[in-house]
């Protein structure tokens, strides 16, 4: 059973460009979460999605960030018009539908904005 | 989400047991106790969870106090590969997001 997959592992974007981060959950998992870890800071929740639905986006910045988890295909975290402050490690996690809802994390995408 | 309190750092010798404490005095009756760890430059890794009873798995053991206001993650024989930040997190019964604190930095000496 393959783990959570994220790609790309490293992404370099210039200021003003768009970044698209992909996450494929573990087989059988229908819950996906995105977290961000800024340099020298802790992990912060961004958004929680189930297939075709955003359940909790309380941690998402109000502008430029969006997430989706379509019926088919991976979950996508999209950052428009990136700025240097978006440079961080972005981790995706997936979880089964049953309690206690343990989460399994991917290796992360390290975004660098130049 | 209920908060947890962990020591900032701990040190252990290789091959010795390690007890990582966590206080969660405001835990509610339906909160699960989860432990995760993050090795350098990697994503967090689920370690173990419990509700009321002590739990064992291939990675670690979790000892939960009778009043559930504290718990201890036990690594039976620390190895250099166990050096990581360990997070104790409470999850509500229908909870979703993980709220990471600062965790405990575990250093393992050879």
């Amino acid at each position: 059973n393959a783990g959570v997959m994220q790609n790309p592992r490293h992404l370099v974007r210039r200021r003003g460009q768009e970044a698209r981060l992909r996450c494929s959950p573990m087989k059988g998992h229908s819950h996906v979460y995105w977290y961000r870890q800024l340099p020298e800071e802790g992990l912060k929740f961004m958004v929680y999605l189930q297939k075709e639905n955003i359940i909790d986006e309380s941690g998402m910045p109000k502008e430029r960030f969006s997430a989706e988890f379509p019926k088919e295909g991976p979950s996508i975290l999209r950052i428009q018009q990136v700025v240097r402050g978006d440079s961080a490690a972005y981790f995706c996690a997936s979880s089964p539908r049953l309690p206690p809802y343990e989460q399994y994390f991917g290796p992360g995408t390290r975004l660098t904005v130049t | 989400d209920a908060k947890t309190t962990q020591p900032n750092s701990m040190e252990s010798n290789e091959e010795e047991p390690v007890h990582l404490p966590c206080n969660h005095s405001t835990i509610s009756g339906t909160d699960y106790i989860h432990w995760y760890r993050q090795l350098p430059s990697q994503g967090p890794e689920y370690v173990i969870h419990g509700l009321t009873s002590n739990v064992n798995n291939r990675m670690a053991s979790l000892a939960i106090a009778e009043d559930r206001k504290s718990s201890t993650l036990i690594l039976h024989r620390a190895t250099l590969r166990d050096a990581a930040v360990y997070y104790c997190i409470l999850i509500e019964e229908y909870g979703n997001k993980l709220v990471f604190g600062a965790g405990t930095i575990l250093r393992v000496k050879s």
Side-chain angles (χ1 to χ4, degrees):
Chain A
N1 188 9
V4 176
M5 301 178 69
Q6 290 188 249
N7 66 80
R9 295 290 305 276
H10 299 273
L11 182 62
V12 179
R13 285 287 178 265
R14 292 181 179 167
R15 279 180 297 172
Q17 291 184 320
E18 179 179 287
R20 281 188 179 234
L21 288 61
R22 294 174 184 78
C23 169
S24 296
M26 286 181 71
K27 188 176 181 180
H29 287 189
S30 58
H31 300 220
V32 165
Y33 313 79
W34 287 92
Y35 295 83
R36 178 167 68 172
Q37 189 166 33
L38 293 165
E40 306 304 320
E41 293 191 19
L43 286 146
K44 302 290 185 189
F45 166 80
M46 299 181 76
V47 63
Y48 163 38
L49 311 102
Q50 293 181 22
K51 285 284 187 181
E52 301 185 276
N53 288 304
I54 297 174
I55 307 302
D56 180 355
E57 55 182 348
S58 58
M60 287 278 269
K62 294 284 186 280
E63 297 176 347
R64 301 186 298 108
F65 285 72
S66 62
E68 62 178 8
F69 188 18
K71 188 176 180 181
E72 301 292 338
S75 176
I76 306 286
L77 179 68
R78 182 183 177 206
I79 311 172
Q80 295 178 289
Q81 299 177 318
V82 296
V83 301
R84 288 222 172 105
D86 296 333
S87 295
Y90 292 82
F91 295 100
C92 165
S94 73
S95 174
R97 282 175 290 176
L98 299 173
Y101 309 105
E102 69 274 20
Q103 295 185 18
Y104 296 90
F105 284 78
T109 293
R110 276 148 184 86
L111 173 65
T112 301
V113 180
T114 62
Chain B
D1 296 307
K3 290 187 176 179
T4 63
T5 304
Q6 300 178 252
N8 291 333
S9 64
M10 293 184 66
E11 200 167 78
S12 170
N13 294 317
E14 202 174 8
E15 302 294 318
E16 291 185 356
V18 181
H19 291 233
L20 296 162
C22 180
N23 288 318
H24 29 79
S25 58
T26 59
I27 191 171
S28 74
T30 56
D31 286 345
Y32 287 92
I33 302 162
H34 283 227
W35 283 82
Y36 291 79
R37 70 180 185 180
Q38 188 175 22
L39 279 65
S41 301
Q42 294 189 28
E45 177 184 25
Y46 165 77
V47 177
I48 200 168
H49 75 269
L51 185 60
T52 56
S53 303
N54 295 343
V55 184
N56 299 298
N57 67 19
R58 63 175 181 81
M59 289 182 69
S61 295
L62 177 60
I64 301 173
E66 200 168 326
D67 64 4
R68 301 210 326 127
K69 293 186 177 182
S70 65
S71 60
T72 303
L73 179 71
I74 302 165
L75 307 179
H76 295 287
R77 290 178 61 201
T79 70
L80 296 177
R81 289 182 296 178
D82 291 320
V85 182
Y86 286 78
Y87 299 97
C88 168
I89 302 173
L90 301 183
I91 306 293
E92 300 169 1
E93 186 176 15
Y94 299 105
N96 42 72
K97 62 187 176 186
L98 297 176
V99 180
F100 288 86
T104 297
I105 300 171
L106 175 65
R107 298 182 178 88
V108 180
K109 298 184 296 182
S110 59

